[in-house]
Amino acid sequence: MYALTQIWIYPVKSLGGIRLDEAVAERRGLQYDRRWMLIDENGRFVSQREIPAMALLGVAVDAPNLRVFQKNNPADCIEIPLEIIPENHPKTRVEIWSDRCSARVLDDQVNQWFSSQLGQPLRLVYMPDTTRRRADGRYAPKGHYVSFADGFPYLLIGQASLDELNQRMDKPLPMDRFRPNFVFSGGKPFEEDEWQDFVIDHQSFKGVKPCARCTITTINQQTAERAAEPLKTLAGFRKFGQRILFGQNVIWTGTTPGSIKTGATIQKISAIHTNERISTPPRLL
């Protein structure tokens, strides 16, 4: 039996995650997940790849606001309304990898706080419901959209997969290194590679492509320190072509957004043979 053990959202792309007991599944991802993003002066997204210190900014949902704070000094914080009124914020074009889409720029006070915290000019933008950024069309069917996540709305990882990795390492790592949305118990290591159609709490999903991992996995999410692991160990047994794979990218295939709770049983409906799914190395996401 498979059970959902963890739910995570990352409201501001590449900042700290929030572990939840319950979340709402929607087409472009879990509610509030990566609807905000930091951009540089050219309108291009920034992440922990370039600014590891982004890991030191924690995030909390304190309705009616989103609160972003320094993990080492929580009193140093900024509050952002969860409900953004688009017409009150200027529109801009932003760039995420090879995609360009429309977003709304938040107030100068917010932008100055982030610029001061991270040591360079930055702006915080929000993705309104009217923006339609398509999920990677090479793997996701037409009509599937994504927030500011790299390429797909959801990421699924089995606890058995992390346990297998940690058995091969000198020092075990926590799940937060891999920034999943869903973590499940049951099954064998890396079984999620083969998952296609599955259901959580009456909400249906489809696995579309194993996730190719980048250097963000090497950044300690509590200290922002960078090291060689886990990519060094993963490269020894999870490298396919030029890509190191860990976790499964997922789309939502439901019709009506609905709540999902930890502890829910996961029903696996169909699977695809691993070699068929990863024979062509995917784009680095």
Side-chain angles (χ1 to χ4, degrees), residues 131-207:
T131 293
R132 294 288 186 266
R133 178 183 171 227
R134 187 181 174 187
D136 190 332
R138 294 173 299 169
Y139 304 96
K142 185 177 180 180
H144 285 273
Y145 303 103
V146 62
S147 62
F148 289 133
D150 280 349
F152 298 92
Y154 297 89
L155 178 64
L156 172 78
I157 298 178
Q159 181 63 48
S161 301
L162 179 62
D163 293 345
E164 173 66 22
L165 169 63
N166 281 335
Q167 288 180 10
R168 297 167 180 258
M169 296 181 55
D170 294 333
K171 184 178 180 180
L173 295 178
M175 186 64 81
D176 67 6
R177 285 291 187 96
F178 301 96
R179 301 176 71 83
N181 294 113
F182 298 140
V183 179
F184 70 92
S185 63
K188 62 182 185 294
F190 312 110
E191 181 175 328
E192 59 270 26
D193 288 350
E194 305 172 3
W195 283 27
Q196 193 167 30
D197 296 292
F198 61 97
V199 175
I200 308 175
D201 247 1
H202 307 291
Q203 293 293 320
S204 57
F205 298 89
K206 180 185 289 290

Side-chain angles (χ1 to χ4, degrees), residues 56-232:
L56 301 180
L57 296 182
V59 184
V61 175
D62 293 334
N65 296 313
L66 188 70
R67 180 169 55 89
V68 183
F69 57 92
Q70 265 286 352
K71 291 181 180 178
N72 297 325
N73 180 20
D76 187 357
C77 64
I78 191 81
E79 290 190 338
I80 303 157
L82 284 169
E83 301 301 326
I84 299 293
I85 302 174
E87 53 265 31
N88 292 347
H89 298 83
K91 184 186 296 186
T92 190
R93 298 287 289 177
V94 299
E95 184 177 347
I96 317 103
W97 299 111
S98 59
D99 295 336
R100 292 186 64 84
C101 65
S102 179
R104 296 285 180 167
V105 183
L106 272 74
D107 300 335
D108 288 343
Q109 177 188 3
V110 172
N111 298 328
Q112 290 168 6
W113 187 86
F114 280 104
S115 299
S116 175
Q117 293 292 330
L118 298 173
Q120 68 182 71
L122 297 169
R123 290 179 292 165
L124 185 69
V125 298
Y126 173 78
M127 177 182 284
D129 291 341
T130 52
T131 293
R132 294 288 186 266
R133 178 183 171 227
R134 187 181 174 187
D136 190 332
R138 294 173 299 169
Y139 304 96
K142 185 177 180 180
H144 285 273
Y145 303 103
V146 62
S147 62
F148 289 133
D150 280 349
F152 298 92
Y154 297 89
L155 178 64
L156 172 78
I157 298 178
Q159 181 63 48
S161 301
L162 179 62
D163 293 345
E164 173 66 22
L165 169 63
N166 281 335
Q167 288 180 10
R168 297 167 180 258
M169 296 181 55
D170 294 333
K171 184 178 180 180
L173 295 178
M175 186 64 81
D176 67 6
R177 285 291 187 96
F178 301 96
R179 301 176 71 83
N181 294 113
F182 298 140
V183 179
F184 70 92
S185 63
K188 62 182 185 294
F190 312 110
E191 181 175 328
E192 59 270 26
D193 288 350
E194 305 172 3
W195 283 27
Q196 193 167 30
D197 296 292
F198 61 97
V199 175
I200 308 175
D201 247 1
H202 307 291
Q203 293 293 320
S204 57
F205 298 89
K206 180 185 289 290
V208 292
K209 181 183 76 63
C211 184
R213 306 316 302 236
C214 71
T215 56
I216 289 180
T217 61
T218 69
I219 298 171
N220 185 312
Q221 294 299 296
Q222 304 306 314
T223 66
E225 296 175 328
R226 196 192 298 268
E229 296 291 6
L231 293 183
K232 180 180 178 181

